[in-house]
Amino acid sequence: MDNKKLIAITGASSGIGAATAKAFSAAGYPLLLMARRIELMEAMNLPNAICKEVDVLDLEGMKSAISEAEDAHGKVDCMINNAGVMINGKPQSQNPEDWQKMLDVNIRGVLNGIHLVLKDMVERQSGTIINMGSIAGIKTFPDHTVYCGTKFAVHAITENIREEVSGSNVRLINIAPGMVYTELLDHGCEEEARKGWMDYAEQIGGALKPDSIAESVLFSYQMPQEVCVREIVICPTGQEP
Ligand code: NDP
């Protein structure tokens, strides 16, 4: 009989989310995988994984996916709010619609995930929420203005809620990766911003692989419930800022 509890992951179709899904699956956890590209999640073919086509901005869609997975595996013990977008550029030349996308997915998407599981966790006096922040949630970077704004928000939201529910035995964890090779740059960054990121990654001997971030997520979750790893900042050793 499997006694491992349900792990829900947003943005599980690629990059860090997909690597995290594989790491938790290898450790034997039942999974709820959510993203818009369901075919990529299904193609991973992970055992005990329910894959749902979910936009993190669709609160009702996320709620019904969680409810279906909870009927099969019990309550979500760990919600990993990983879905995010980065569209880098200069605020004076960027399309304001790109700011809106980042503000929506990176902030409202994370809040939606928190909202749907936190009440239950507080009532059960147990549970973990892991939010994917960034080194860009700690310091600023050229061409990252709006993205940094959203990630600073993720860090603030995570820490604020952590304080509020610490007395209920619920953990809030912030993972703050530095440069990681994923599809993150492929969704509309201005060319100069994209080139700056890639050139710097090359100069420092390469960005991290998503697996390293996945391992840190798994580690933080697998610490005993009374231990809260509040934040992990995990970057390539050669990354200077
Ligand atoms: P990817 O682009 O590879 O992954 C992003 C994931 O988010 C995809 O699975 C995508 O799925 C999902 N996503 C985007 N929009 C939505 C939406 N509206 N609803 C549901 N899912 C959505 O990039 P990463 O793996 O790098 O990004 C994962 C997280 O890590 C992000 O929060 C990012 O900000 C953060 N991060 C990344 C760093 C890096 O250097 N790569 C550094 C620091 C933090 P789909 O398109 O199928 O919906």
Side-chain angles (χ1 to χ4, degrees):
M1 173 79 183
D2 183 17
N3 58 6
K4 293 251 169 64
K5 293 177 179 166
L6 178 62
I7 312 293
I9 306 173
T10 68
S13 60
S14 66
I16 293 169
T20 302
K22 288 177 192 157
F24 276 81
S25 181
Y29 293 93
L31 301 174
L32 166 62
L33 305 183
M34 292 175 279
R36 293 164 303 174
R37 292 170 297 171
I38 190 168
E39 65 287 355
L40 294 183
M41 298 185 289
E42 287 177 344
M44 288 193 279
N45 205 17
L46 299 175
N48 260 338
I50 295 174
C51 302
K52 288 284 165 191
E53 186 177 335
V54 168
D55 187 320
V56 289
L57 303 180
D58 172 12
L59 188 65
E60 284 309 310
M62 211 194 293
K63 187 177 183 180
S64 79
I66 289 173
S67 156
E68 189 179 324
E70 288 188 334
D71 286 347
H73 294 295
K75 291 288 180 186
V76 171
D77 192 52
C78 180
M79 178 79 201
I80 303 173
N81 292 302
N82 162 76
V85 286
M86 180 174 82
I87 309 169
N88 287 344
K90 302 272 184 246
Q92 61 272 37
S93 53
Q94 274 191 309
N95 181 344
E97 282 175 17
D98 290 339
W99 308 338
Q100 194 60 52
K101 253 186 236 165
M102 286 187 274
L103 291 163
D104 279 345
V105 177
N106 298 0
I107 302 177
R108 196 150 61 86
V110 168
L111 284 169
N112 282 344
I114 294 169
H115 177 73
L116 291 172
V117 298
L118 185 59
K119 189 164 176 283
D120 265 5
M121 288 180 176
V122 167
E123 278 169 15
R124 289 200 312 275
Q125 299 270 297
S126 194
T128 302
I129 295 174
I130 301 179
N131 295 331
M132 199 54 66
S134 172
I135 187 78
I138 298 171
K139 58 206 298 187
T140 56
F141 293 86
D143 298 323
H144 282 61
T145 302
V146 179
Y147 181 72
C148 277
T150 65
K151 290 299 183 180
F152 270 70
V154 170
H155 284 232
I157 288 163
T158 308
E159 177 61 7
N160 208 138
I161 300 175
R162 187 198 62 71
E163 291 168 355
E164 287 175 0
V165 301
S166 57
S168 302
N169 197 36
V170 175
R171 301 183 297 183
L172 269 284
I173 295 171
N174 186 55
I175 306 290
M179 302 174 89
V180 187
Y181 285 128
T182 65
E183 296 177 14
L184 197 65
L185 286 174
D186 300 343
H187 304 294
C189 288
E190 286 179 355
E191 195 40 43
E192 198 182 322
R194 183 190 162 80
K195 188 170 178 319
W197 195 103
M198 294 301 284
D199 286 351
Y200 185 65
E202 196 181 333
Q203 190 188 317
I204 63 170
L208 294 180
K209 295 199 177 82
D211 292 355
S212 301
I213 313 303
E215 275 176 46
S216 70
V217 176
L218 183 62
F219 158 76
S220 66
Y221 173 68
Q222 286 189 322
M223 292 299 279
Q225 185 69 29
E226 67 269 23
V227 178
C228 181
V229 178
R230 294 185 186 182
E231 180 165 276
I232 295 179
V233 184
I234 172 170
C235 303
T237 303
Q239 183 175 338
E240 194 268 319

